[in-house]
Amino acid sequence: MNFTGLSAFPITPATMDGRVQTDALVRVLERLRRPDLGSVGLLGSTGTFAYLTRAERRRAVSVAADVLGSSVSLMVGVGALRTDEACALARDAAEAGANAVLLPAVSYTPLTQDEAFAHYSAVATASDLPLYIYNNPSTTHFNFDVALIQRLAQVPRITAIKMPLPAQGNLASDLARLRSTLPADFAIGYSGDWGCAEALLAGADTWYSVIGGILPEIALRLTAAAMAGNAAEARRIDEVLAPLWALFKAHGSLRVVYAMARQMGLTDCDPPRPILPLDDAACREIAAATEPLAR
Amino acid sequence: MNFTGLSAFPITPATMDGRVQTDALVRVLERLRRPDLGSVGLLGSTGTFAYLTRAERRRAVSVAADVLGSSVSLMVGVGALRTDEACALARDAAEAGANAVLLPAVSYTPLTQDEAFAHYSAVATASDLPLYIYNNPSTTHFNFDVALIQRLAQVPRITAIKMPLPAQGNLASDLARLRSTLPADFAIGYSGDWGCAEALLAGADTWYSVIGGILPEIALRLTAAAMAGNAAEARRIDEVLAPLWALFKAHGSLRVVYAMARQMGLTDCDPPRPILPLDDAACREIAAATEPLAR
């Protein structure tokens, strides 16, 4: 199984009362059944894991395992506020056919570094699957110290990390510094679609991608160019996507991809309330930004 | 019913797998059955609402309604990531005997001001109880614009707000400015125990208090002095509590009050994992800080 390259994060269409719409989920996932895709990241932030019950999350994993089969690696988000619940979700994911689990440091009471270490260690032993650290401070508000990442990289089965784009400074030097402190086979990837062409060009192992979950073609072309070192082509494609990146920043990528999924006829489901669907003006901007990509 | 003055926020003792220990909860709440207490804030952040299931939260409300009877107003935290779940929790709280609901702006995907408005409006119509806005950016990371608070103050049943201490600047002028923009009968209170003597002296209506949930006597004396305008006595008591405030800031008040509850023989329960109990050195410091208060 290949977990590097493009990791596509799809939405999980669900009714207003939180029931996963498996027919729509199948339509979303069929577009991702491609051997050139590194992995599918089900039930990530874009997959609204935080808003779905354990039973619905398990149902979504089963559907994804059926649709993707052995053609694409399936990573499943197992974030939960309680350690025991995250462990149960990891066991569920393993039983339902996942190939890896992704764990965000979800918190309400802000966690200490030691608490996060204990949480990750517990979930790593809950199943036999590799565990990816999902470092997502814009939603979890937890910040990993480098020392914590180093400790976690020593824990069996913890094999990779998804990093946020650096708030300031230079991604390439940040990545080089981080890589120098971690085992050679520990994979480092990035999310934040608008910065990921540069992240891949700088040598990141994985692009954890929102756009990859809805428009896999163009994201795969960007990834292939960047990983082949073709900076001009990667940046050309990135520039084509720039209007969409601007909308991601303005509205949040989750709201934008829900509007895209509706425009593409994949689902009529809206994001879970309290998140609201975007208004007509924003939807028109999204349609205008995506229209050239379909050509 | 009196919702101003001291609002005491107790812990909700629960087993490691999340079952509320009603015997320990009764011991905690019996100390709060006092007519001079403005209210009990059950299932607030200190009450670990975010870590308990709907069924366990309902059980805790029933116990509290039984213990407190008509002697103290019972406010109940109904925070949830999903709007439909927060509405269900508000109905549960009303049916189980609460006198008001407290709603924090819990989020995973960061919310817009409009989304928060729709969320609060929906929960305000879910029951007949007054709704208090629980503005808690240190845990929710949501920031209320003044314009949003003004809009919410126009919604029927939304009658009060719990504010955080200002990160910088002068609380008295902040409070005066906020009050000038809101209806005269809209109550404004503060949390952040170390700043609340000054908040009450500046004219805040309510002290939403962690220490009040575990050491109600001294918190009531401080509140009475401050609300009578006796600044010298309020500040004298605040000074007595200063070592505890320092520990709250160092470790988080939740971890400290769990250690206190254990030392006082109220419960052996620890906070929900991933939150860890404090180590022996910290517990000794807590014992030293609280020992003079028992004299």
Side-chain angles (χ1 to χ4, degrees):
Chain A
M1 287 282 181
N2 165 25
F3 292 98
T4 59
L6 181 65
S7 185
F9 279 65
I11 62 170
T12 312
T15 59
M16 277 294 98
D17 59 352
R19 186 159 172 85
V20 172
Q21 292 301 91
T22 50
D23 56 340
L25 181 60
V26 167
R27 281 192 293 276
V28 167
L29 290 171
E30 277 176 340
R31 299 162 53 82
L32 307 179
R33 191 167 47 195
R34 312 179 43 127
D36 47 350
L37 198 62
S39 55
V40 167
L42 193 78
L43 296 171
S45 298
T46 302
T48 61
F49 78 88
Y51 300 88
L52 297 170
T53 64
R54 184 178 163 192
E56 291 301 313
R57 288 163 75 167
R58 190 178 173 119
R59 238 158 50 81
V61 181
S62 293
V63 168
D66 286 349
V67 174
L68 301 176
S70 60
S71 60
V72 192
S73 300
L74 174 61
M75 294 197 295
V76 173
V78 295
L81 279 175
R82 295 182 60 96
T83 299
D84 54 4
E85 195 178 344
C87 289
L89 288 161
R91 286 191 297 270
D92 287 354
E95 287 168 15
N99 305 114
V101 296
L102 268 168
L103 183 62
V106 185
S107 59
Y108 180 76
T109 302
L111 297 181
T112 66
Q113 301 288 307
D114 282 345
E115 288 170 341
F117 179 78
H119 184 66
Y120 276 83
S121 299
V123 179
T125 61
S127 86
D128 291 332
L129 297 179
L131 186 151
Y132 279 34
I133 301 168
Y134 197 72
N135 178 2
N136 222 33
S138 67
T139 53
T140 65
H141 306 282
F142 181 80
N143 289 299
F144 286 82
D145 290 350
V146 171
L148 174 58
I149 300 173
Q150 289 178 289
R151 282 174 76 195
L152 288 171
Q154 303 302 322
V155 174
R157 285 185 290 278
I158 299 184
T159 55
I161 189 164
K162 173 175 99 69
M163 293 292 290
L165 298 175
Q168 55 203 11
N170 182 281
L171 187 143
S173 61
D174 281 11
L175 173 57
R177 197 162 42 240
L178 185 60
R179 209 182 272 293
S180 71
T181 69
L182 293 171
D185 59 350
F186 194 85
I188 304 172
Y190 286 84
S191 63
D193 277 2
W194 50 87
C196 285
E198 292 306 317
L200 290 172
L201 287 168
D205 299 301
T206 312
W207 174 17
Y208 296 91
S209 174
V210 175
I211 200 69
I214 188 97
L215 296 176
E217 290 274 359
I218 191 164
L220 279 164
R221 276 191 278 130
L222 193 162
T223 305
M227 294 192 88
N230 188 344
E233 174 65 2
R235 288 181 181 137
R236 189 194 63 75
I237 301 172
D238 190 51
E239 199 51 46
V240 172
L241 290 162
L244 210 47
W245 301 160
L247 291 161
F248 277 17
K249 290 181 195 173
H251 301 294
S253 56
L254 181 72
R255 296 180 188 85
V256 175
V257 288
Y258 265 89
M260 289 172 66
R262 187 184 272 275
Q263 289 170 8
M264 294 163 70
L266 292 171
T267 177
D268 289 332
C269 293
D270 285 324
R273 301 283 163 108
I275 306 162
L276 294 174
L278 293 173
D279 63 20
D280 289 347
C283 288
R284 279 192 299 274
E285 287 187 79
I286 292 164
T290 51
E291 190 269 333
L293 310 179
R295 270 186 230 151
Chain B
M1 287 282 179
N2 165 26
F3 290 98
T4 59
L6 181 65
S7 184
F9 278 65
I11 62 171
T12 312
T15 59
M16 277 295 98
D17 58 352
R19 184 157 174 88
V20 172
Q21 292 301 90
T22 51
D23 55 340
L25 181 58
V26 167
R27 282 193 292 276
V28 168
L29 290 170
E30 278 176 338
R31 298 162 54 82
L32 307 178
R33 190 166 49 194
R34 313 178 44 125
D36 47 349
L37 197 62
S39 55
V40 167
L42 193 79
L43 296 170
S45 298
T46 303
T48 60
F49 78 87
Y51 300 88
L52 297 169
T53 64
R54 184 177 163 194
E56 291 301 313
R57 288 163 75 166
R58 188 175 175 122
R59 239 158 50 82
V61 181
S62 294
V63 168
D66 286 349
V67 174
L68 301 175
S70 59
S71 60
V72 191
S73 299
L74 174 60
M75 295 197 296
V76 173
V78 295
L81 279 176
R82 295 182 60 94
T83 299
D84 54 4
E85 196 178 345
C87 289
L89 288 162
R91 285 192 295 274
D92 287 353
E95 287 169 15
N99 304 114
V101 295
L102 269 169
L103 183 62
V106 186
S107 60
Y108 180 77
T109 302
L111 298 181
T112 66
Q113 302 287 306
D114 282 346
E115 287 170 341
F117 179 78
H119 184 66
Y120 276 84
S121 299
V123 179
T125 61
S127 85
D128 291 332
L129 298 180
L131 185 151
Y132 280 34
I133 301 168
Y134 197 71
N135 178 1
N136 222 33
S138 68
T139 53
T140 64
H141 306 281
F142 180 80
N143 289 298
F144 286 83
D145 290 350
V146 172
L148 174 59
I149 300 173
Q150 290 177 289
R151 282 174 76 196
L152 288 171
Q154 304 301 322
V155 174
R157 285 186 289 277
I158 299 184
T159 56
I161 189 164
K162 173 175 100 68
M163 292 292 290
L165 298 175
Q168 55 203 10
N170 182 282
L171 188 143
S173 60
D174 281 10
L175 172 57
R177 198 162 42 240
L178 185 60
R179 210 183 270 295
S180 71
T181 69
L182 293 171
D185 58 351
F186 194 86
I188 303 171
Y190 285 84
S191 64
D193 278 2
W194 49 88
C196 285
E198 292 307 317
L200 290 171
L201 288 167
D205 299 302
T206 311
W207 173 17
Y208 295 91
S209 173
V210 175
I211 200 70
I214 188 98
L215 295 176
E217 291 274 359
I218 191 165
L220 279 164
R221 277 191 277 130
L222 192 163
T223 305
M227 295 193 87
N230 187 343
E233 175 64 2
R235 288 181 181 137
R236 189 194 64 76
I237 300 172
D238 189 51
E239 199 50 48
V240 172
L241 290 162
L244 210 46
W245 302 159
L247 290 162
F248 277 18
K249 291 181 195 174
H251 301 295
S253 56
L254 180 72
R255 296 179 189 86
V256 175
V257 290
Y258 265 89
M260 289 171 68
R262 188 183 272 274
Q263 289 169 9
M264 293 163 72
L266 292 170
T267 177
D268 289 333
C269 293
D270 286 323
R273 300 284 164 110
I275 307 161
L276 294 173
L278 293 173
D279 64 18
D280 289 347
C283 289
R284 281 193 297 273
E285 287 187 79
I286 292 164
T290 51
E291 190 269 333
L293 310 178
R295 272 187 227 147

